[in-house]
Amino acid sequence: QSVLTQPPSASGTPGQRVTISCSGTRSNIGSNTVNWYQQLPGTAPRLLMYGNSQRPSGVPDRFSGSKSGTSASLAISGLRSEDEADYYCVSWDDSLNGYVFGVGTRVTVV
Amino acid sequence: EVQLLESGGDLVQPGGSLRISCEASGFTFSGYAMSWVRQAPGKGLEWVSDIRRNADNTHYADSVKGRFTISRDNSKNTLYLQMNSLRVEDTAVYYCTRDGFWDSWGQGTLVTVSS
């Protein structure tokens, strides 16, 4: 059972906006930053967002992140077919003294 | 270009041991903390362990504490994970990743624990 709660799936049509939530507690998201990773089928994860809302170079500005209290979210605007992937949130947990992931959200472009 | 190359994955019987490695290149290895993250077949990502730059501090997930040991050799630019008392549930692809923001990942090495 994952410590951070994410919806197992999300979907949208091309061009739509999709938002993925990541819910935690005071000991993880409430006290530390959140990073997001994209994993395309059969490949290693790729850093998509760090420090809650910072995009690494090369990540399109269609992707945005935010955090409020003990929850974070990732938004994909202008959804494209190549965005079909699994998306994971992760944060450090002060109580567990380790990193905790969300279960992952599979985004489908219908 | 940052490169991380994992190796050493194999088929092991339950209760057995295995050491996997991650060779780093393209950056100053000794300047970064490093982590191992694993992914069981068809499942999500799970953080396993991390180690500080000079190996003076390590952390482990509760699921592997007491069985796995992370280490590094900065002279060889290599990260290791010694896995003992392996269980079927340890079956996974093991990735090494560079700490900070885990901005670079290897391709992973498959560890299969089965009789």
Side-chain angles (χ1 to χ4, degrees), chain A residues 23 26 32 34 50 71-72 77 86 106:
Chain A
S23 178
R26 278 191 299 180
N32 300 285
V34 177
Y50 66 94
S71 293
S77 59
D86 294 325
R106 176 152 296 178

Side-chain angles (χ1 to χ4, degrees), chain A residues 8-37:
Chain A
S9 64
S11 64
T13 57
Q16 270 192 330
R17 176 184 172 93
V18 168
T19 301
I20 302 168
S21 61
C22 176
S23 178
T25 65
R26 278 191 299 180
S27 66
N28 43 65
I29 294 178
S31 306
N32 300 285
T33 59
V34 177
N35 297 340
W36 291 88
Y37 298 85

Side-chain angles (χ1 to χ4, degrees), chain A residues 2 33 35 37 39 42-47 50-51 86 88 90 92 96-103, chain B residues 35 37 39 43-47 50 52 59-60 62 65 95 99-108:
Chain A
S2 298
T33 59
N35 297 340
Y37 298 85
Q39 188 175 32
T43 69
R46 166 200 180 197
L47 177 65
Y50 66 94
D86 294 325
Y88 296 90
V90 64
W92 179 263
L96 296 175
N97 218 24
Y99 290 98
V100 290
F101 276 97
V103 70
Chain B
S35 281
V37 174
Q39 186 169 35
K43 302 296 184 182
L45 299 171
E46 179 189 18
W47 171 78
D50 71 2
R52 297 300 101 185
H59 301 97
Y60 297 92
D62 286 344
K65 203 171 292 183
Y95 295 101
D99 261 23
F101 306 116
W102 297 347
D103 58 346
S104 297
W105 296 65
Q107 84 294 340

